[in-house]
Amino acid sequence: MKAININPIVLILVNIIAPTMYMFISGRYLQLFLLIFASVLMIVMGRYKRLLGFWLVYALMMGTYTLTMHMGDLQYIGLFLIVIVQCIPCIALASILVSKYNSAQLLSALETMHVPRVLVVAVTITIKYIPTFKREFSYITESMRLRGIGFTWKKPVKSFQYFIVPQLFRCAALAEEVTAAGLVKGIDAPLRRSSYFEEKFTFADATVLVVFVVGLVGGFVWKQM
């Protein structure tokens, strides 16, 4: 099956709306609906490996939850995991947003919504910083390994400092670099940017949103039954 390209705005809207619905819709229904919705969407987008990883993580967490809930001393672990499990579909879709789309595509898509430029830039930088953070984290762990420094549970606070302090310094440096790069590319210009990527809203995008809204409406009906 040919993979369909979905507008990143659709994934952003789903990730904004879905978590808030747990306050209004039955958690069991919403969790099941989001699992099916995210799985089908990843199949449509051709993200089969990510779908497999998504289900493996979900199965592992649910298995751990089931085991720990029958152990009095470990029930808190199960309660913590069930909260994380409810967010897994949104995390899976957010991971596609981070890995599939580049900064130019995100800017082009967000500008079609006519939101303030400051918000567009902030959202784009936030989303694209995640893979940068992952890369910087790998550099830090490699540097620690070369120096013979390892994480130990005997001194968790000190071990955590080895990770977080270099990362904070790198965040400050990268913020300056990203700002300079954005200014060079005219990101603060008052005129609308032209872009090689035209992220238009298509029939497939509308269908995904309609299915999502219908599923949420079904959750309200389920709750009243």
Side-chain angles (χ1 to χ4, degrees), residues 26-127:
S26 170
R28 181 178 299 179
Y29 170 88
L30 186 59
Q31 183 178 348
L32 179 61
F33 167 69
L34 290 178
L35 279 172
I36 298 174
F37 178 81
S39 300
V40 173
L41 191 56
M42 282 189 281
I43 292 173
V44 169
M45 297 180 71
R47 298 284 163 165
Y48 304 111
K49 291 183 179 179
R50 195 168 295 272
L51 175 63
L52 179 60
F54 160 62
W55 273 105
L56 286 175
V57 172
Y58 179 80
L60 180 62
M61 285 192 171
M62 284 301 296
T64 306
Y65 164 74
T66 304
L67 290 173
T68 54
M69 287 305 294
H70 293 89
M71 303 176 184
D73 297 336
L74 299 177
Q75 283 187 356
Y76 68 94
I77 298 178
L79 295 174
F80 173 77
L81 286 177
I82 198 62
V83 174
I84 302 299
V85 163
Q86 293 175 348
C87 302
I88 285 182
C90 293
I91 294 173
L93 294 180
S95 68
I96 296 176
L97 189 65
V98 172
S99 63
K100 178 177 173 60
Y101 304 96
N102 58 41
S103 300
Q105 289 175 296
L106 291 173
L107 281 171
S108 176
L110 289 169
E111 285 184 340
T112 60
M113 299 180 67
H114 303 289
V115 296
R117 176 63 63 86
V118 175
L119 183 60
V120 171
V121 174
V123 171
T124 303
I125 292 176
T126 301
I127 292 175

Side-chain angles (χ1 to χ4, degrees), residues 182 191 193 196:
L191 302 176
R193 294 173 66 256
Y196 174 80

Side-chain angles (χ1 to χ4, degrees), residues 177-220:
E177 293 175 9
V178 170
T179 302
L183 292 174
V184 169
K185 293 180 179 179
I187 203 168
D188 61 337
L191 302 176
R192 188 179 186 277
R193 294 173 66 256
S194 60
S195 176
Y196 174 80
F197 301 96
E198 290 293 336
E199 296 293 337
K200 296 181 179 180
F201 206 77
T202 63
F203 177 76
D205 302 324
T207 302
V208 171
L209 283 180
V210 168
V211 171
F212 180 67
V213 172
V214 170
L216 296 181
V217 172
F220 284 102

